[in-house]
Amino acid sequence: FRCTPYQHVLSRRFQLAKKLLKQGMSVSYVAFETGFNDVHTFSKAFKKSERVSPSDYATSPASKR
C-alpha cells in the first residue's frame, strides 16, 4: 500500500487542510478542524509534508487553483 494507516489518515487531513486554506480559513481554524491539538504541531507537520508553511500555502497564487 506504500504507506502506513497513520500516513494515510494524515494525508487525508492535509487534503482537507489545503481545501480550507484555499477557502481563506485561518491557520488556527484549519489546525483544529483537521484534528490537531495546537497550531504549532499542525504547522510543523504541514510544512514537513507539503514543503511550505500553511500561511505561505494559503497566500500563494498556485494554491488558488
Side-chain angles (χ1 to χ4, degrees):
F1 292 108
R2 298 184 187 182
C3 68
T4 66
Y6 177 72
Q7 289 171 326
H8 177 71
V9 169
L10 200 57
S11 172
R12 297 295 303 253
R13 289 165 78 185
F14 289 138
Q15 287 175 356
L16 175 59
K18 290 190 287 187
K19 179 180 173 184
L20 294 172
L21 289 167
K22 286 179 192 177
Q23 293 175 354
M25 303 297 172
S26 71
V27 174
S28 58
Y29 175 83
V30 173
F32 292 109
E33 280 296 306
T34 55
F36 286 86
N37 292 327
D38 60 75
V39 177
H40 176 73
T41 303
F42 167 71
S43 294
K44 187 174 175 181
F46 188 93
K47 188 170 184 175
K48 183 177 180 182
S49 173
E50 304 301 320
R51 295 183 174 92
V52 64
S53 71
S55 56
D56 287 346
Y57 180 86
T59 59
S60 73
S63 73
K64 303 298 182 202
R65 294 185 216 158

